[in-house]
């Protein structure tokens, strides 16, 4: 009994605590990273006053948001108003339950720990389903604010998020076809067996799929260049206008947690997850998979996590890079892009992958 | 049956992208704009009235602060109007110096326009890059007259003083790096598909309609009318220099963007020629101690970065002007806002206000 | 007249997103350029010699006392009427010196028109110093009188 309790309750509980804790810390520092990276691209320095090089800035931000006055609009729907940020944040956090952070299970104090919270065999479908729940939070936020502009902003945001779910799903279908499994760990293992990441998979590199997924994800997370519903220079200030203090912090956290989730998924699906960067050179895979062989499996797990972390960081950097560079789309152009360009492109990509699979194998 | 109503909302005086305190009342049908009425006056400081109770040299200070982004151009037009009244002859060195400073101010003003326009449409980095270049021009102004924005660089009869040592070399160094930087802005924006979608066919106005509204400057030239005061009614030392006037075809936001980018290059061309041929000599001609123009009136125009800057002075023989009227290009261009906005979506209003390049100090005076 | 070309990329360039890639390259290049931020107030700004800060008076280089001869020309030239001069005869008899000299910094717009007509040679008695940190807590401190205007007075420098 104690073995099962340990394996199915205690270890996952600790894993969840660690993942959520690290994730929230990462989200806070992602905010700082965004400010610094965009600042460097704009030939200026970012935050510098709070702590050396601004490293304590996220703590200052969190303290500020905690201590702010909590304003609820007069005739707002209180229950919905309080629930909306929660409903927006929870799916982002819950989706991390299936993300594999590393490849090798290792033993700690006699207990086997797997470097993922769980691995269900419909992991991909689970992910798509859970991330769609975030739309409810947006709509609820706009509705509960009882104010014209948040309502319009939230409806626009929700329509944008729902429309871009379709190209998102289509880009993932071809990965399903290549990996023949919907479990995320299985997908990375399939890339391991195939010898190259799916993004560079011959004879049909999934670059189009990667592009499609990434663009749809940027639209899903309401980031530039698709951030019209929440941009400051536009007329309608967006669904989180009426929020202040910790609830506003939740919206912020949700947005950045979604960004990190997208980066993790892109890494797992297209960029080989925890696999090392070998550039196809044979023989490099062994030494690069374990930088600390003395720890055995633990070392392999750590190294896998390191590679995973590097790839996630690169994807996040591209997110910030795009934000610093491009102007933003107008709302109707955004919707037109999603429906008229990305969906046909996704369909064509799926058909292309299917044809290649049929004739090449 | 579900009917739809028109909605009237305010693009209020406090808004990050109205370039000052401008209020626009929008009448919307869904997202389409039916009417956009600008309401101004939030920055009115009574400069014209103040001009009546100050002597002519004192009033130059107020011209700095009206269109604070084109301070030197405003200074020059006012001073030249007074000189016309007095019949003063300005030495050639002073005239060339006026050209150099005016064109530098034009580049600085267009950089500011590009920065804020791109920022409104979401391209944040262009804002910072343009300001980096603008800092160098402002440093040049500080080196010459002591202030970056409110320059007060021109005096009646000539200039404030001569260029300090090393100023000409610093200006040349700046002009050397300018083309590469302009190319960077072009790479970031001109062919970018998002920029094209946001600016093509947005805010179209035909040449005839623009002339009817009295628009001048890049807004008019983008609609196909090749009117530039520097060519039509030359002032200062402009007849001596060789430059082209860019003219657009369609009269939309994209054309106005292209016209202003090209104008920056042409300004650079003028400054290089002027620095080359800077004549020697004194910088202030014979000016009376007390400026007391004879009775009369004069209207003098200038090509500011935003359009035709005009000054209308009526002198009654005393030290103060009887009437000092400034024709502000932004005020006249802003009239066309309802025409430009009609039929577009709400998100385009920001692009259109940006492309008209208004500075509220100039609109409200 | 210079008619403009409304350029558009060819079909393949647009298909391969060349315009977006070029933009991304520009931003990346700028990442590695040195920053242009001046970290004020830790880093004092470099002011040009002709910078127009607050107007101050100079001491007479040889004799004890101000250089100013209280001719009132600066007060007449000021567009904001912020200078008030009250004259008295110099000790020693020759010429005038200011008994009171007020500049109201609430009104002064730092235009420098007061320096032009100052008649003292070879340097003007009133000059635009490099002081720009003029904030005070109390409005009364804005009206500066003769002792406050001397060159020798301590300049205010912001620390943080």
């Amino acid at each position: 009994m104690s073995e099962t309790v340990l394996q199915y309750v205690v270890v996952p509980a600790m894993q969840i605590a660690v993942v959520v804790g690290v994730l929230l810390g990462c989200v806070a520092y992602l905010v700082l990273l965004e400010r610094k990276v965009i600042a460097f691209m704009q030939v200026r320095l970012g935050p510098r006053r709070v702590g050396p090089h601004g490293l304590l800035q996220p703590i200052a931000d969190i303290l500020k948001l905690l201590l702010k006055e909590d304003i609820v609009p007069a005739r707002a729907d209180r229950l919905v108003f309080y629930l909306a940020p929660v409903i927006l944040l929870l799916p982002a956090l819950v989706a991390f339950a299936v993300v594999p952070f590393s490849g090798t299970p290792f033993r700690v104090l006699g207990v086997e720990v797997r470097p993922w919270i769980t691995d269900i065999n419909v992991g991909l479908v689970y992910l798509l389903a859970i991330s769609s729940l975030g739309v409810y939070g947006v709509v609820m936020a706009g509705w509960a604010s009882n104010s014209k502009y948040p309502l319009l902003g939230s409806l626009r945001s929700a329509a944008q998020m729902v429309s871009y779910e379709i190209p998102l799903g289509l880009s993932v279908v071809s990965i399903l076809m290549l990996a023949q499994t919907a479990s995320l760990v299985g997908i990375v293992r399939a890339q391991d067996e195939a010898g190259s990441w799916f993004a560079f998979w011959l004879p049909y590199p999934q670059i189009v799929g990667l592009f499609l997924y990434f663009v749809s994800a940027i639209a899903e997370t309401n980031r530039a260049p698709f951030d019209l519903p929440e941009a400051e220079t536009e007329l309608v200030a967006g669904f989180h206008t009426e929020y202040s203090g910790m609830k506003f912090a939740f919206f912020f956290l949700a947005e950045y947690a979604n960004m990190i989730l997208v980066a993790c998924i892109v890494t797992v699906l297209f960029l080989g997850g925890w696999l090392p960067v070998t550039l196809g050179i044979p023989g490099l895979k062994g030494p690069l998979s374990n930088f600390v062989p003395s720890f055995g499996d633990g070392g392999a797990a750590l190294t896998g996590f390191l590679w995973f972390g590097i790839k996630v960081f690169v994807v996040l950097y591209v997110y910030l890079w795009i934000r610093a560079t491009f102007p933003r789309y107008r709302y109707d152009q955004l919707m037109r892009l999603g429906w008229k360009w990305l969906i046909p492109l996704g369909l064509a990509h799926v058909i292309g992958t299917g044809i290649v699979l049929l004739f090449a194998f | 049956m579900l009917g739809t109503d028109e909605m009237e909302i305010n693009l209020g005086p406090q808004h990050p992208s109205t370039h000052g305190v401008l209020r626009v009342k929008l009448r919307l049908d869904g997202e389409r704009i039916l009417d956009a009425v600008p309401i101004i006056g939030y920055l009115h400081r009574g400069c014209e009235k103040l001009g009546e109770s100050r002597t002519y040299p004192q009033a130059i200070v107020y011209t700095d602060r009206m269109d604070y982004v084109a301070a030197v151009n405003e200074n020059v037009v006012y001073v030249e109007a007074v000189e016309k009244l007095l019949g003063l002859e300005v030495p050639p060195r002073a005239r060339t110096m006026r050209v150099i400073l005016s064109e530098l101010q034009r580049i600085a003003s267009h950089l500011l326009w590009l920065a804020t326009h791109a920022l409104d449409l979401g391209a944040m980095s262009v804002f910072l890059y343009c300001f980096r270049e603008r800092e160098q021009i402002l440093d040049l102004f500080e080196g010459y007259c002591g202030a970056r924005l409110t320059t007060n660089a021109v005096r009646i009869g000539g200039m404030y003083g001569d260029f300090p040592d090393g100023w000409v070399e610093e200006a040349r160094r700046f002009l050397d790096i300018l083309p590469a930087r302009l190319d960077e802005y072009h790479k970031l924006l001109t062919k970018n598909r998002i920029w094209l979608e946001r600016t093509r066919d947005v805010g179209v106005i035909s040449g005839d309609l623009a002339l009817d509204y009295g628009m001048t400057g890049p807004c008019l030239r983008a609609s196909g009318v090749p009117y530039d005061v520097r060519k039509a009614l030359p002032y200062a030392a402009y007849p001596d220099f060789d430059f082209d006037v860019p003219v657009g075809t369609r009269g939309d936001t994209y054309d106005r963007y292209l016209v202003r980018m090209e104008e920056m290059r042409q300004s650079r061309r003028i400054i290089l020629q002027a620095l080359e041929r800077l004549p020697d000599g004194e910088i202030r001609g014979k000016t009376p101690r007390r400026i007391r123009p004879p009775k009369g009136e004069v209207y003098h125009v200038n090509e500011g970065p935003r359009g035709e800057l005009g000054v209308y002075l009526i002198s009654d023989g005393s030290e103060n002007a009887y009437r000092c009227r400034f024709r502000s290009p932004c005020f006249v261009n802003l009239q066309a806002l309802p025409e430009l906005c009609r039929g577009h979506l709400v998100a385009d209003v920001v692009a259109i206000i940006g492309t008209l390049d208004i500075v509220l100090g100039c609109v409200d005076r | 007249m210079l008619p403009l070309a409304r350029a558009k990329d060819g079909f393949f360039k647009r298909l391969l997103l060349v315009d977006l890639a070029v933009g991304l390259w520009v931003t990346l290049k700028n990442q590695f350029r040195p920053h242009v931020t001046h970290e004020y107030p830790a880093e004092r700004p470099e002011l040009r010699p002709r910078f127009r800060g607050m107007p101050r008076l100079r001491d007479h280089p040889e004799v004890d006392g101000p250089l100013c001869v209280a001719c009132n020309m600066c007060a007449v030239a000021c567009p904001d009427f912020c200078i008030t001069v009250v004259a008295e005869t110099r000790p020693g008899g020759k010429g005038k010196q200011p008994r009171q000299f007020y500049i109201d910094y609430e009104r002064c717009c730092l235009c420098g028109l007061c320096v032009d007509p100052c008649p003292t040679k070879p340097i003007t008695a009133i000059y635009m110093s490099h002081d720009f940190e003029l904030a005070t807590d109390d409005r009364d401190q804005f009206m500066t009188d003769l002792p406050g205007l001397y060159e020798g007075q301590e300049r205010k420098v912001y620390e943080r």
Side-chain angles (χ1 to χ4, degrees):
Chain A
M1 202 276 296
S2 62
E3 182 65 36
T4 41
V5 165
L6 206 61
Q7 196 183 356
Y8 286 108
V9 176
V10 175
V11 169
M14 287 172 52
Q15 280 178 325
I16 292 174
V18 166
V19 166
V20 170
V22 171
L23 183 64
L24 291 179
C26 281
V27 164
Y29 275 87
L30 181 61
V31 177
L32 176 68
L33 183 74
E34 170 175 32
R35 290 172 70 174
K36 292 293 266 190
V37 166
I38 293 188
F40 282 125
M41 285 183 175
Q42 295 171 344
V43 285
R44 57 185 175 94
L45 305 166
R48 291 217 6 135
R49 307 281 267 178
V50 191
H53 292 285
L55 282 173
L56 297 179
Q57 180 78 34
I59 301 180
D61 281 338
I62 291 176
L63 268 178
K64 174 198 81 163
L65 286 169
L66 276 174
L67 297 174
K68 270 208 184 236
E69 182 187 352
D70 209 13
I71 303 177
V72 179
R75 284 181 307 215
D77 195 332
R78 287 193 92 96
L79 179 65
V80 179
F81 196 78
Y82 279 89
L83 266 184
V86 175
I87 296 205
L88 192 52
L89 180 61
L90 275 185
L93 294 180
V94 165
F96 272 95
V98 288
V99 171
F101 298 104
S102 184
T104 336
F106 53 96
R107 296 197 81 85
V108 166
L109 300 174
V111 183
E112 188 188 12
V113 175
R114 283 180 287 249
W116 50 82
I117 299 180
T118 175
D119 178 38
I120 49 182
N121 59 350
V122 286
L124 210 47
V125 182
Y126 168 86
L127 264 176
L128 289 176
I130 291 286
S131 50
S132 310
L133 286 179
V135 182
Y136 281 113
V138 171
V139 175
M140 283 166 71
W143 173 258
S145 297
N146 194 29
S147 169
K148 248 189 295 194
Y149 306 153
L151 183 66
L152 290 174
S154 79
L155 289 177
R156 277 199 205 168
S157 231
Q160 177 185 329
M161 287 166 83
V162 166
S163 321
Y164 278 84
E165 297 272 351
I166 304 176
L168 199 80
L170 283 175
S171 63
V172 157
V173 167
S174 42
I175 296 289
L176 271 178
M177 292 199 289
L178 286 179
Q180 315 220 339
T181 167
S183 134
L184 289 176
V185 177
I187 291 178
V188 181
R189 290 216 174 110
Q191 291 179 71
D192 201 359
E193 277 161 26
S196 74
W197 305 345
F198 281 149
F200 306 120
W201 182 78
L202 304 164
Y204 183 49
Q206 299 283 311
I207 299 281
V208 176
L210 174 61
F211 166 74
L212 206 59
Y213 187 92
F214 197 59
V215 171
S216 309
I218 297 181
E220 281 281 316
T221 46
N222 276 333
R223 296 276 300 177
F226 302 111
D227 63 347
L228 193 82
E230 59 175 41
E232 305 112 30
T233 58
E234 301 298 333
L235 187 58
V236 180
F239 56 91
H240 52 66
T241 319
E242 301 286 344
Y243 283 84
S244 61
M246 207 54 207
K247 298 199 273 289
F248 175 72
F250 263 47
F251 281 119
F252 238 61
L253 284 180
E255 177 175 327
Y256 287 93
N258 267 315
M259 265 174 73
I260 299 185
L261 177 69
V262 162
C264 290
I265 301 305
V266 166
T267 313
V268 163
L269 292 183
F270 294 95
L271 296 179
W274 64 77
L275 299 174
V277 179
T278 54
L279 300 171
I281 304 172
L284 262 189
K285 187 154 161 271
L288 284 180
S289 299
N290 195 342
F291 286 147
V292 217
S294 50
F295 281 172
D297 273 343
L302 261 174
T303 316
F305 184 63
L306 181 72
W307 284 114
F308 182 81
I310 291 178
K311 292 175 198 175
V312 167
F313 177 76
V314 169
V315 176
L316 285 173
Y317 184 82
V318 175
Y319 244 114
L320 303 179
W321 192 9
I322 289 182
R323 178 170 187 212
T325 312
F326 296 135
R328 63 176 73 94
Y329 271 111
R330 207 173 58 203
Y331 187 64
D332 60 322
Q333 295 160 350
L334 202 159
M335 298 299 274
R336 192 183 54 203
L337 185 75
W339 287 94
K340 287 192 183 173
W341 287 98
L342 292 186
I343 293 183
L345 183 64
L347 288 171
H349 174 63
V350 167
I351 294 175
T353 313
I355 292 178
V356 167
L357 277 177
L358 189 63
F359 289 116
F361 290 97
Chain B
M1 272 307 291
L2 278 179
T4 51
D5 242 340
E6 285 171 7
M7 195 163 62
E8 199 167 285
I9 52 179
N10 240 340
L11 190 60
Q14 299 129 327
H15 191 96
S17 49
T18 51
H19 299 243
V21 273
L22 172 68
R23 179 175 158 213
V24 181
K25 256 202 325 206
L26 293 169
R27 209 157 41 91
L28 303 176
D29 174 22
E31 280 235 9
R32 295 261 154 210
I33 298 178
L34 297 173
D35 202 9
V37 177
I39 297 174
I40 58 176
Y42 290 92
L43 198 54
H44 181 70
R45 294 154 291 174
C47 284
E48 296 183 353
K49 183 72 185 163
L50 280 171
E52 290 172 18
S53 55
R54 301 283 186 271
T55 63
Y56 292 93
Q58 285 174 338
I60 303 179
V61 172
Y62 293 106
T63 56
D64 272 336
R65 289 154 169 80
M66 275 181 1
D67 184 351
Y68 35 83
V69 189
V72 173
N73 294 314
E74 291 261 8
N75 283 345
V76 167
V77 70
Y78 180 76
V79 162
E80 288 195 337
V82 176
E83 285 162 1
K84 245 189 191 171
L85 268 182
L86 284 173
L88 278 184
E89 183 71 37
V90 181
R93 186 177 173 88
R95 272 189 279 134
T96 313
M97 282 169 78
R98 282 181 187 176
V99 167
I100 295 175
L101 289 175
S102 297
E103 292 304 312
L104 272 177
Q105 184 71 281
R106 191 185 311 273
I107 299 180
S109 170
H110 283 330
L111 283 171
L112 182 85
W113 159 79
L114 182 62
T116 48
H117 192 208
L119 182 67
D120 288 341
L121 291 180
M124 310 191 282
S125 302
V126 179
F127 177 75
L128 271 302
Y129 299 155
C130 289
F131 266 77
R132 180 187 52 191
E133 267 66 80
R134 189 158 184 258
E135 278 299 304
Q136 299 195 24
I137 301 185
L138 293 180
D139 280 341
L140 280 171
F141 279 139
E142 186 186 331
Y144 174 65
C145 58
R148 287 150 48 102
L149 202 64
T150 53
T151 46
N152 199 11
V154 193
R155 299 282 185 270
I156 298 178
M159 296 295 285
Y160 157 75
D162 212 337
F163 287 138
D165 292 326
W167 197 93
V168 175
E169 283 73 35
E170 192 182 341
R172 283 221 174 93
R173 273 199 303 270
F174 166 71
L175 293 175
D176 281 336
I177 59 162
L178 188 65
R181 297 293 159 83
L182 286 178
D183 279 334
E184 264 187 24
Y185 310 148
H186 273 294
K187 280 195 205 146
L188 272 174
L189 294 176
T190 307
K191 290 191 188 157
N192 189 322
R193 60 192 60 205
I194 309 178
W195 184 258
L196 286 175
E197 285 210 48
R198 282 308 289 267
T199 55
R200 262 176 198 256
D201 296 331
V202 166
V204 182
I205 190 166
S206 67
D208 290 328
L209 204 53
L211 276 175
D212 281 345
Y213 271 109
M215 292 171 87
T216 49
C219 296
L220 182 66
R221 290 197 279 276
S223 303
V225 180
Y227 176 65
D228 186 333
V229 179
R230 295 174 290 174
K231 295 275 198 199
L233 304 157
Y235 56 97
Y238 281 106
D240 301 339
F241 302 121
D242 195 24
F243 61 99
D244 291 315
V245 170
V247 170
T249 43
R250 230 153 111 69
D252 60 0
T253 304
Y254 188 59
D255 262 351
R256 287 188 278 267
Y257 159 78
L258 286 176
V259 164
R260 288 192 180 105
M261 296 293 282
E262 185 58 37
E263 275 189 7
M264 281 200 265
R265 276 189 216 275
Q266 296 296 327
S267 288
R268 173 181 173 268
R269 202 170 142 193
I270 299 177
I271 304 178
L272 280 175
Q273 291 173 46
L275 287 175
E276 202 91 32
R277 304 190 224 153
L278 192 62
D280 293 318
E282 51 183 10
I283 46 163
R284 207 186 283 206
K286 254 178 82 63
T287 0
R289 204 83 201 284
R290 286 190 183 271
I291 309 284
R292 215 173 262 177
K295 276 204 191 144
E297 56 188 32
V298 72
Y299 180 64
H300 185 67
V301 290
N302 195 345
E303 178 74 20
R306 289 169 180 75
E308 186 179 301
L309 277 172
V311 170
Y312 176 60
L313 284 173
I314 303 183
S315 158
D316 58 355
S318 73
E319 278 195 317
N320 304 347
Y322 178 75
R323 173 78 170 112
C324 170
R325 154 95 177 123
F326 295 98
R327 182 219 188 259
S328 132
C330 309
F331 180 77
V332 179
N333 289 353
L334 194 57
Q335 285 181 91
L337 189 69
E339 177 67 37
L340 290 171
C341 285
R342 206 162 290 142
H344 286 298
L345 300 178
V346 172
D348 292 323
V349 175
V350 172
I352 293 174
I353 295 180
T355 182
L356 281 177
D357 194 10
I358 48 175
V359 168
L360 265 299
C362 188
V363 172
D364 288 335
R365 272 156 283 147
Chain C
M1 201 173 109
L2 185 67
L4 291 169
R6 287 164 67 100
K8 210 158 99 136
D9 269 333
F11 176 70
F12 281 110
K13 273 193 169 176
R14 270 183 292 144
L15 189 67
L16 295 173
L17 308 178
V18 170
D19 50 301
L20 298 180
V22 166
L24 285 173
W25 175 243
V26 170
T27 328
L28 191 66
K29 243 187 351 176
N30 271 295
Q31 166 130 35
F32 300 108
R33 288 211 184 121
H35 64 88
V36 295
T37 319
H38 289 296
E39 293 185 70
Y40 176 83
E43 210 180 290
R44 308 292 308 163
E46 242 181 67
L47 298 171
R48 301 293 171 112
R50 289 191 190 175
F51 181 79
R52 299 202 304 247
M54 87 189 199
R56 282 182 176 270
L57 288 179
R58 281 204 178 96
D59 277 329
H60 202 288
E62 292 139 20
V63 193
D64 218 14
L67 186 55
C68 171
V69 292
C71 64
N72 217 31
M73 292 300 292
C74 50
V76 165
C78 177
D80 296 317
F81 313 124
C82 57
I83 302 183
T84 316
V85 188
V86 177
E88 69 177 1
T89 24
R90 268 179 198 267
K94 271 188 85 174
K96 292 197 281 192
Q97 73 174 15
R99 183 158 55 123
Q100 304 281 9
F101 196 110
Y102 294 113
I103 298 188
D104 188 359
Y105 288 117
E106 250 189 305
R107 300 182 63 130
C108 176
C109 65
L110 306 181
C111 64
L113 284 180
C114 48
V115 181
D116 286 343
C118 186
T120 51
K121 299 264 191 292
I123 45 170
T124 54
I126 190 170
Y127 72 107
M128 305 300 280
S129 67
H130 284 193
D131 250 349
F132 58 95
E133 286 150 322
L134 302 172
T136 61
D137 293 321
D138 194 0
R139 236 177 172 167
D140 297 333
Q141 290 180 29
F142 275 128
M143 184 69 93
T144 322
D145 56 0
L146 197 51
L149 287 172
Y150 270 134
E151 198 174 2
Q153 292 290 309
E154 215 180 287
R155 277 182 54 194
K156 226 195 302 199
V157 166
Y158 292 157
E159 289 299 315
R160 249 196 91 76

